[in-house]
Amino acid sequence: MTPVDRDILELLHNDGGVHELVLSPRIIAENIDWSRQTVREHVMTLRDHGLVEYYDETGGIYQLTDRGRSYLEGQLDADDLEAIDE
């Protein structure tokens, strides 16, 4: 887990907001201090580990998963994260 990963998960979680967000890597990059390409690469890795999933695959829009929420809430340790086979 890297600072980029954490920033992406926290943005999607939208702590303090009424609802979690569903965003594309481009929009995520516009709202955090990382390049679009970096965000895109990390979103794909987060998806491989089951922390984010497609909200709309055709539009390339992602949302947080239950596993991603568990990580942010401290219920899942980064050492326990392994890629999930689809």
Side-chain angles (χ1 to χ4, degrees):
M1 190 61 64
T2 69
V4 180
D5 299 325
R6 182 84 184 176
D7 288 350
I8 292 167
L9 294 175
E10 287 177 348
L11 180 64
L12 291 172
H13 187 252
N14 193 27
D15 193 28
V18 176
H19 301 286
E20 290 182 348
L21 302 176
V22 293
L23 302 169
S24 69
R26 182 179 70 82
I27 299 300
I28 293 169
E30 292 293 329
N31 287 280
I32 60 177
D33 196 23
W34 301 101
S35 74
R36 183 177 177 181
Q37 183 61 32
T38 297
V39 168
R40 184 177 183 283
E41 292 168 5
H42 283 263
V43 165
M44 290 172 28
T45 300
L46 291 168
R47 189 185 72 204
D48 291 345
H49 291 277
L51 299 169
V52 299
E53 65 188 1
Y54 280 116
Y55 174 80
D56 175 1
E57 188 171 359
T58 303
I61 300 172
Y62 293 87
Q63 65 185 2
L64 199 59
T65 63
D66 289 338
R67 185 174 165 105
R69 274 182 226 95
S70 293
Y71 173 77
L72 287 173
E73 293 167 0
Q75 299 170 358
L76 182 64
D77 190 76
D79 293 336
D80 297 329
L81 298 176
E82 294 181 15
I84 296 175
D85 295 326
E86 293 187 38

